[in-house]
C-alpha cells in the first residue's frame, strides 16, 4: 500500500502555517477582503486555524478521513477537497460572517465520501448509523450555534459543515467511482 502522501503533505502544511505564520488573520476567509482583491483567502482560510485545539481536531479528522480516501484514490481525495472547498466558499461568500478559518467544513466532504466508500465495501449498518449520527450532530450544532465535540477560541459556524457535506455528495457523483449496479446511487 502506498503511503498517504497527499494527506501527509496537507497535515504538514496546516501545522507549518500554524507554527510559522505570526498573524493568521491576514489569511482568514473574509468575504469583504476577497471581494476587494485578496483571492488567496479562498484557500488559506481553510488552512489556518484559530488555536491549537482547533488545529488538533482538524488535523485528526484530516489524518483519518484523508487516509481512508487516499488509500483508494488520490484523485478522489483531490476531488473531495475541491468540491468541499467550493461548496463551503460559496456558502461563506453569501453569509453574514466577517471571518472564517479552519478545515472542518471541507472535512465534512471527506466524511461523506469516506462513509460512502466504507458502506459500499461493507454494507454495514454501523456505517449507516455513523452517517445518521453525523447528520444529527450537524443539525444540533446548527440549531445550538455551538460545537458538540470541541471548543475553540471563537464560535463555530456549523453551516459550513453542512456545505461541506454537500460538497462530498457532489464529489461522489462527479467521481467515476465504479459501481456494480446503477441502483447503488439511488438513495
Amino acid at each position: 500500500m502506498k503511503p498517504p502522501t497527499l494527506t501527509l503533505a496537507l497535515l504538514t502544511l496546516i501545522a507549518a502555517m500554524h507554527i510559522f505564520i505570526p498573524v493568521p488573520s491576514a489569511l482568514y476567509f473574509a468575504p469583504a477582503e476577497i471581494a476587494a482583491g485578496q483571492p488567496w483567502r479562498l484557500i488559506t482560510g481553510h488552512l489556518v486555524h484559530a488555536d491549537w485545539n482547533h488545529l488538533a481536531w482538524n488535523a485528526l479528522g484530516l489524518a483519518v478521513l484523508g487516509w481512508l480516501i487516499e488509500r483508494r484514490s488520490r484523485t478522489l481525495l483531490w476531488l473531495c477537497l475541491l468540491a468541499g472547498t467550493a461548496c463551503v466558499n460559496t456558502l461563506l461568500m453569501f453569509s453574514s460572517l466577517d471571518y472564517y478559518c479552519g478545515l472542518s467544513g471541507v472535512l465534512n466532504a471527506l466524511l461523506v465520501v469516506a462513509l460512502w466508500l466504507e458502506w459500499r465495501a461493507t454494507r454495514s449498518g454501523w456505517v449507516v448509523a455513523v452517517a445518521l449520527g453525523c447528520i444529527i450532530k450537524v443539525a444540533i450544532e446548527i440549531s445550538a450555534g455551538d460545537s458538540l465535540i470541541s471548543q475553540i477560541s471563537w464560535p463555530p459556524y456549523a453551516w459550513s459543515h453542512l456545505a461541506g457535506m454537500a460538497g462530498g455528495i457532489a464529489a461522489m457523483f462527479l467521481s467515476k467511482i465504479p459501481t456494480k449496479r446503477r441502483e447503488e446511487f439511488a438513495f
Side-chain angles (χ1 to χ4, degrees), residues 5-20 59 62:
T5 54
L6 176 55
T7 301
L8 293 171
L10 288 170
L11 287 166
T12 302
L13 177 62
I14 64 173
M17 290 180 78
H18 194 75
I19 293 166
F20 296 114
L62 177 59

Side-chain angles (χ1 to χ4, degrees), residues 65 68-69 71-72 76 79-80 108-124 126-132 134 165 167-187:
L65 297 170
L68 285 172
I69 296 169
R71 71 184 173 140
R72 290 186 171 98
L76 181 57
L79 182 60
C80 291
N108 277 274
L110 277 65
L111 175 65
V112 166
V113 172
L115 287 170
W116 173 253
L117 291 170
E118 290 302 311
W119 181 79
R120 285 191 57 234
T122 66
R123 299 286 198 240
S124 171
W126 287 107
V127 176
V128 174
V130 169
L132 289 173
C134 291
M165 287 179 167
I169 292 168
M172 225 170 42
F173 285 104
L174 291 172
S175 72
K176 298 200 187 291
I177 300 173
T179 58
K180 293 178 188 170
R181 298 182 313 263
R182 196 135 187 77
E183 297 80 30
E184 288 182 17
F185 282 104
F187 289 97

Side-chain angles (χ1 to χ4, degrees), residues 76-90 105-113 159-175:
L76 181 57
L77 178 56
W78 272 116
L79 182 60
C80 291
L81 292 166
L82 293 172
T85 299
C87 286
V88 173
N89 284 354
T90 300
V106 175
L107 286 175
N108 277 274
L110 277 65
L111 175 65
V112 166
V113 172
W159 285 102
S160 69
H161 299 172
L162 187 61
M165 287 179 167
I169 292 168
M172 225 170 42
F173 285 104
L174 291 172
S175 72

